[in-house]
Amino acid sequence: MATVKVNSRSPYYLVSSGAEGSAVENASLNITGPETGVTNSDITLTAVPNNFTPVSYAWTGGAIAGSSSAELTFTETSDGTVEYGVTATDSAGNEYTATKTVSWSANAQYTATLTVDNQITGPSQGYTIGGDLNNATQTGETGDSYSFETTLSLNSGYTADVSLAISPSQPITGTFASINVTETTTLIIDYQLISHR
């Protein structure tokens, strides 16, 4: 709670209640922009606040380390993977952070994206999906390989009428050609319930 005198001549004070500097509920920060970049060619990354208003930004990583704008257009001069980070601070001093990894190369890069199609019936608390999940991505150049592996297991204390299964067999592997690719893993088991032992 804060108490502030209206002005030096007034006998009245303003009193505000509530926690000073308390974090905003459901506030978050994201970075939008590409996951690949061509060295010596510009890309743009943007810090996007959700449910709060930043008063400052501080970036880390690569060529933008130390920058303080919400949106940055820049390039890197060498190949490699760079993790960029940003911290946004609101007027109460709360800090929100986000990171984004960008793969830089002088050559064209492509993205492999995994789709996980969950066809399991029964309560979700009875099983756990692990490894590479829906919308996982990998990047590479022509001739580079990629691999996705999703796992599926029953949680402790549960049994299934039929064994859990994944199709196709894991891992899913491939080699980049000259286009983006999408791979699909299907959790194909169809049973009536997962019962508690």
Side-chain angles (χ1 to χ4, degrees):
M1 182 164 62
T3 303
V4 180
K5 195 167 186 181
V6 173
N7 60 49
S8 61
R9 299 182 307 274
S10 173
Y12 300 105
Y13 290 83
L14 295 176
V15 179
S16 62
S17 60
E20 291 184 21
S22 59
V24 177
E25 188 175 346
N26 297 323
S28 63
L29 183 66
N30 297 312
I31 299 174
T32 62
E35 295 180 356
T36 62
V38 177
T39 52
N40 298 308
S41 296
D42 285 344
I43 67 166
T44 299
L45 295 183
T46 305
V48 180
N50 300 300
N51 296 323
F52 76 101
T53 303
V55 295
S56 67
Y57 294 94
W59 288 85
T60 60
I64 60 174
S67 298
S68 58
S69 299
E71 183 175 277
L72 299 170
T73 299
F74 66 100
T75 188
E76 299 289 349
T77 57
S78 58
D79 293 359
T81 299
V82 180
E83 182 177 85
Y84 301 98
V86 63
T87 299
T89 306
D90 66 14
S91 59
N94 300 305
E95 294 183 341
Y96 304 87
T97 61
T99 60
K100 184 175 187 67
T101 300
V102 178
S103 176
W104 291 89
S105 176
N107 302 316
Q109 297 181 84
Y110 305 99
T111 301
T113 303
L114 177 67
T115 299
V116 177
D117 181 15
N118 187 347
Q119 297 293 325
I120 297 175
T121 59
S124 61
Q125 67 269 23
Y127 61 91
T128 299
I129 303 169
D132 292 309
L133 304 179
N134 194 47
N135 293 323
T137 60
Q138 295 181 19
T139 58
E141 301 174 11
T142 300
D144 289 346
S145 60
Y146 61 86
S147 177
F148 295 108
E149 185 166 7
T150 303
T151 62
L152 179 62
S153 60
L154 286 173
N155 291 335
S156 178
Y158 287 86
T159 58
D161 295 341
V162 182
S163 297
L164 301 179
I166 299 178
S167 177
S169 59
Q170 302 293 298
I172 298 174
T173 61
T175 302
F176 286 104
S178 57
I179 58 171
N180 295 329
V181 296
T182 300
E183 299 285 4
T184 300
T185 291
T186 304
L187 311 180
I188 58 171
I189 196 66
D190 183 14
Y191 59 91
Q192 295 306 306
L193 67 118
I194 296 178
S195 57
H196 197 70
R197 281 186 240 169

